[in-house]
Each structure stands twice: as C-alpha cells, then as structure tokens.
Amino acid sequence: MTILHWIGNFLRHQLDLVPLSTARWFMVGLYLILMFWIIQLPSTETNPPDRSGTWRGDLKIWAWFALMFQIIIYSVF
Amino acid sequence: MAQLTSIDYLVILSYLAATMVIGLWVGSYVRSGSDFFLAGRSLPWWAIGMSLVATDIGGTDLIGVGGDAYRYGIVMGNFEWIGCIPAMLVGAFVFIPHLWRCRVTTIPEYLERRFSVQLRSSVAACWLFLMACNLGVMLLASAVFLKSLSGWDVSVCILATALLVGAYTWSGGLAAVVYTDVLQGVVMICGCLMFVVIGIYEVGGIEPLVDKIHAVAKAQDQQDAWQREQKMTATERLAEKTKPRHDRPTHESEHLSLVLPVDTRSPGPWPGILFGLGLIVGPGYWIGNQCIVQRALGAKSEYEARAAYVYGALIKNLIPFLVAVPGLIALVKFPELGHERADVALPQLVGALLPVGFRGMFVAAFLAALMSSVDSYLNSATTLYVNDFYRRFYRPEADEGQMLAVGRWTTIGFVAWGIYFAFQLQAFPAGIYTIFQTLLSFFLGPTLAVLAAGMLSRSASSDGAVTGFYAGLLTSIGLFSLNQPGVCRWLNLKPLFQVGQPYLYYSIWSFLVAMTFIVIFSYFLRSDPPEKTRYAIGGLNPEGGAA
C-alpha cells in the first residue's frame, strides 16, 4: 500500500456512502446551475449583433431546450 | 451479417458519389491558406453545428458504443449527454467566442499569444502525435468493423477510405470537411434512426423492450456475479454479499440507469462520470481539441460560432438513442453472445433486422461516421503542422499561396502516413485502439488546465502554465503506469484503480495537479507583461483590439 492507494481507498469509501439518488441530484443540479447561469447572460451575448433576428435568434432559448431535455433524461433514467 | 445486394451497393455508391461531389465542388473555391485552414472564416452555424456532432461520432464509436451498450447498458449515453452538452454550452458562451475574437488558427497559437512559444510547441507536439497516430488507428479499427458489416477486405477498406477522404480534404480543406460532414451527419442520423425504429418494432414496442432488457440483463448479471464469486476468497465473498443494493428495485438491472455505483464494472461509475467526464474530459475535448474547435474558428462571426455550439448541443440530446439503443435491442435479440462477443452484436443485428436496401443505408451511415472523423483529424493534423511548426519556425514569411500548397502537400503526407500506420498496426493486438483512446485522456486534463487558467485569469503566468502542463502530463502517465498489471507485479502493489477503464480518473487528477502547479508557480515566479495578459477573457474588444 502506498499513500496513493490510501487516498484512493479513502475517497472510494466516502463516495460509496453517497446514495445513488443523491448522485442523480448532483447531475440534475449541474444542469439547473447552467440554466440559471444562462438566463442571467446579457442579451448582447446571446443575440445577433444587429439584433435583426426574431426570438428564434436568441440562443438562450435553444440552450434552455438542450438543458431541459437533459433534466428530463437524467430524471427518467 | 447477410450479404449486401446490388441495391445496397447502389445506396452506398450514391452516398460516396454525393460526398465526393460536395467535397470537390467546395474545393474549387479554395484560393489561399486561410481558405484551406479556416474556410476563409465563412462557415454558417448550421454547417458547423452538424459537423461538430458528425466529427465527434466516429465509425468505431458507432459500433463500439453499441457493443458497450450491450454489455453495460444506457450508461454509455453519459458520454454524449453529460460528457458533451454542459461543456458545449459553456464553450458557446465563454471560451469559443474568445478564441474566435483572438483571430487564431490553432489552439497552440492562442497559447503562445497568452503564454509562451514553449507551451505552444509542447501542446502542438502532443496533439499532433495523438492525431497522427489516431489516423492509422481509426482507419484500421473501422476497416475491421467494415469487414464484419460488409465482408470487404480490410486492406481494401483502409486504402479506399483513406484515398476518398484524402481527395476531398486535399482539395477543399476545412470547408470541404465541414460541408461533407453535414451530408455525413444527416446520413448517419437517418441510417441509425431507421435501424432503431425497425428494431423497436421487431421487439414489439418500447415497453416490451424495457421489460426484456431488465430480464435478460438481470440473468446475465447473476451469471456474471456467480462466475466472479467462484474466483473470490471467503472474506471477499462475504464483503460482496454485504454491499448495499444502492436503492434499486430487485427486478431491475443496471442496464437502464445512467447513474451507477462507485464499484460498477462498467466504465461509468457516477464520480467518474460527474467529475471526470462532465467537468474535465467534456470541457477539455470541446474547448481544447483542435479537431473540434477549428470549425468554430472558421465561423462567419462570433455569434455564428456560439450558435453552432448551441445547435450541436441540441442535436447531441438525440445521439445516444441512435447509437446505444441498437446495442440494447441486440441484447434482447441475441442474449447468448454475452459480454465477450458483444462487439459482433451490432453487425449480427443489421443482418437479422434490415431488409435489402436498408442494409446499404446502414453501411453508408457507418461510412459517414467514419469519414467525418477521419477527414477532421486529417485536416486538423495538417493545420497544426503547417501553422505551429512550418510557418512558426521555418517560413514565418510564407504567403497565402505557399501556405495553401504546403497544406495540400502535408495532407498527402498524412494520408500516406495513416495508410502506412494502419497496415503496421495490423500486427498489434486488438486492444491497441483502447490504448490510443487512453492517450487522449492524458492530454485533456492538462490542456484544459492551461486554457482555463489563461483565459479566466490574468495572474496565470507562462512559467506556471508550462510547468503545470508537464506536471499534469506526467501525472496521467504515472497513474496509467501504476495501474498496469506488469508494473504492479514488479512493484508488488495492487492496481491503483478498481474500475476497468479508469481514464476518466486520470483526467481528473492530471487536471488538478496541472492547476495546482499553475497557481503555485504563477504566484511565486515572474508575472507576464500586459501584451500577454490582454489575451485573457475581457482583454479584447469584438474586433480583436485591446479592450
């Protein structure tokens, strides 16, 4: 046993104590944090520079769609 | 697999002809080095987005993920979901627009502007080595799979793929790669979708499929557990029996779960997936891999580069259903294959399920997945060599015409190298493919560390970045070595990791070590001048001048 094995065993044991339902929440939580961050982005960063597009040009909406699909997927499987 | 008929061949030839026409037509517009390497910065978001997805799914991935889904279940979908989508969205709104604004051609070029030429050369050399090796590995691995799909000779497959891809990449550079990727992406998605729909119909629908997956996988798990128990000592057997059930109902297997326990036998324990794949490997791949980022650098505008990544993330939601579900259908149809022969499950399923014409469509989808990856690696390896070595050290004054000529000659050189290396690799055991995939995980952690430090902080210094990159690289290599059975026997140690394929863990530790070194060395050693630190995010205006 080296110090690396000791660290590995300790971490493995601690992580094994985390219930899978909590681990699933960590993953869904990652997507929720991203959704919150994206909604706060300034519109200059998510729209075409000349603002010529309609709502379809706003990237926030499509990024939200991608994240919502993910939350559904990680909640179901 | 059943023999291909003339209708199947017609479908395959139509696809190949369409690819060549698009590639060579786009090539007729290429006039300069800038056109060749960055498509003259004219690419639209929809083409880049589809190209990102097509490049990411190689031919070997298409078959390999199916085989792994047969063995381990839908957990393999994590590699396309949490391994891609968060990283693509963070890339879309933070990193990619900044790289585009810096007007660089390669990621190592950015690293010289922000840090130093030593770091540029080190990163470029590592990636060039990986890409050049991967060209041969992809050609061989795909040819082997193509043989099992169609019965064609391996040597013919290697030569035909390399020459076809080489022809249009030589002619059109990045633009040809991206526009053919659009066709290849569509063919790949349609071919796999057709396969999944027919498969689900044959099994009797989604609900019967789910029930059968649980029943078959549960029986296989029990048999597998029994076989492992026979090899255990009494103490190990007792420890195995007292392990928690991880709150899963007794009738369900792990095959339909994305979140698996720490001691799973699949390559996807949840800490590796969340911390390794989601936070390190995914961002490292989508932000630090020249092969991926290059097409966004060729976007028409900063907005188009962002939109391409968001569009790609949307499509990514669909991919695991197309590449992993066939493996689950094969599990239900051919449970007798077992873990050992899971890789032949997909070709066998194609033969059993698909009628005449549709088989050709699936082979075309496989070829599309293969070609879209090989052409990207070919073009990016050329771009790295020409920009980061030839122009940087040998001909700094080379004009656009010379860059185009050298780019085309280098493409020919890499095609020849890829063919030669693929033939040489035939003498090696099949596991060689996995070794080169592991090599990728060596570079991702350190590359992400230097990029993130350089872009997000003006305090990170070039000395810190160079030291951190090498420290991270050595960490990956050290951990990999300490996990090899031969080394463990020699040192009389147990392997460091208990999961089968711990490459996600190499990335986590190499990133952490690299970042620690960057922070410590940047704090204690000299800081960089303002002309370097202005390349951190916020230091440039949209036109590329100082903010």
Side-chain angles (χ1 to χ4, degrees), chain B residues 191-199 326 329 346 349-350 353-354 362:
Chain B
C192 293
L193 188 64
M194 162 209 77
F195 191 33
V196 169
V197 170
I198 294 175
I329 296 169
L346 220 55
L349 190 68
V350 172
L353 279 190
L354 298 184
F362 185 79

Side-chain angles (χ1 to χ4, degrees), chain B residues 307-541:
Chain B
Y309 263 61
V310 174
Y311 173 55
L314 265 173
I315 303 175
K316 272 284 177 189
N317 273 290
L318 185 67
I319 299 299
F321 294 113
L322 303 179
V323 297
V325 172
L328 297 174
I329 296 169
L331 175 73
V332 170
K333 297 286 275 184
F334 313 114
E336 70 282 358
L337 291 176
H339 283 202
E340 294 76 24
R341 296 181 60 224
D343 284 332
V344 303
L346 220 55
Q348 201 163 322
L349 190 68
V350 172
L353 279 190
L354 298 184
V356 171
F358 286 82
R359 271 181 230 143
M361 181 77 182
F362 185 79
V363 174
F366 174 82
L367 281 170
L370 162 64
M371 292 166 78
S372 61
S373 298
V374 174
D375 63 7
S376 302
Y377 272 83
L378 186 59
N379 183 246
S380 292
T382 301
T383 307
L384 280 177
Y385 171 74
V386 175
N387 284 278
D388 295 309
F389 292 104
Y390 173 81
R391 189 178 213 177
R392 176 67 183 77
F393 296 111
Y394 184 61
R395 282 279 167 83
E397 74 288 353
D399 62 25
E400 287 290 312
Q402 286 170 321
M403 289 292 280
L404 174 60
V406 174
R408 284 184 164 159
W409 277 109
T410 308
T411 303
I412 294 172
F414 275 116
V415 170
W417 159 255
I419 293 171
Y420 169 77
F421 194 50
F423 279 109
Q424 293 300 312
L425 282 174
Q426 288 191 70
F428 286 82
I432 195 84
Y433 178 70
T434 314
I435 291 173
F436 281 102
Q437 290 303 301
T438 308
L439 267 181
L440 182 67
S441 71
F442 288 2
F443 303 136
L444 286 176
T447 306
L448 178 66
V450 292
L451 274 173
M455 286 197 206
L456 300 177
S457 164
R458 292 183 192 209
S459 307
S461 71
S462 55
D463 293 331
V466 173
T467 317
F469 181 75
Y470 279 108
L473 208 55
L474 287 175
T475 303
S476 299
I477 296 168
L479 293 176
F480 173 76
S481 306
L482 282 174
N483 213 48
Q484 298 309 299
V487 176
C488 291
R489 271 196 302 277
W490 184 54
L491 295 173
N492 199 21
L493 290 172
K494 279 186 172 179
L496 211 46
F497 297 95
Q498 289 185 13
V499 289
Q501 296 166 30
Y503 54 88
L504 294 176
Y505 292 125
Y506 303 155
S507 305
I508 299 177
W509 290 110
S510 62
F511 173 82
L512 289 175
V513 169
M515 204 44 117
T516 307
F517 270 73
I518 292 170
V519 170
I520 292 172
F521 277 71
S522 299
Y523 184 79
F524 286 109
L525 298 181
R526 61 183 173 167
S527 53
D528 286 340
E531 60 266 26
K532 292 282 180 191
T533 56
R534 78 190 181 96
Y535 283 100
I537 286 175
L540 297 175
N541 62 31

Side-chain angles (χ1 to χ4, degrees), chain A residues 1-2 4-5 7 9 11-12 15-16 18-21 23-24 26-27 30-31 34 37-38 41 44-49 56-60 62-63 65-67 69-70 73-74 76-77, chain B residues 74 77-78 81-82 85-86 89-90 93-94 244 246-248 256-263 270-271 273-275 279 303 306-307 310 313-314 317 321 479 482 493-498 509:
Chain A
M1 282 279 277
T2 62
L4 293 177
H5 286 82
I7 294 171
N9 286 340
L11 287 175
R12 190 179 303 115
L15 290 167
D16 207 21
V18 178
L20 287 186
S21 51
R24 186 181 299 276
F26 286 157
M27 293 184 181
L30 174 68
Y31 290 113
L34 281 175
W37 169 66
I38 284 171
L41 288 171
T44 49
E45 289 189 21
T46 59
N47 281 286
R56 281 174 303 203
D58 189 350
L59 299 178
K60 274 184 195 176
W62 304 109
F65 264 122
L67 292 170
F69 285 133
Q70 283 296 285
I73 287 166
Y74 275 86
V76 171
F77 294 108
Chain B
I74 204 166
N78 278 308
W81 284 330
I82 203 165
I85 292 170
L89 294 178
V90 172
F93 294 115
V94 180
H246 293 296
D247 51 20
R248 193 187 310 287
L256 288 179
S257 180
L258 287 169
V259 186
L260 296 186
V262 175
D263 59 353
W270 76 263
I273 293 292
L274 179 61
F275 302 118
L279 302 183
Y303 172 79
R306 290 177 201 265
V310 174
L314 265 173
N317 273 290
F321 294 113
L479 293 176
L482 282 174
L493 290 172
K494 279 186 172 179
L496 211 46
F497 297 95
Q498 289 185 13
W509 290 110

Side-chain angles (χ1 to χ4, degrees), chain B residues 3 14 43 71 140 149 195 237 258 320 356 418 534:
Chain B
Q3 285 291 309
S14 306
L43 296 171
R71 285 189 193 94
L140 174 64
L149 275 174
F195 191 33
R237 211 172 294 159
L258 287 169
V356 171
R534 78 190 181 96

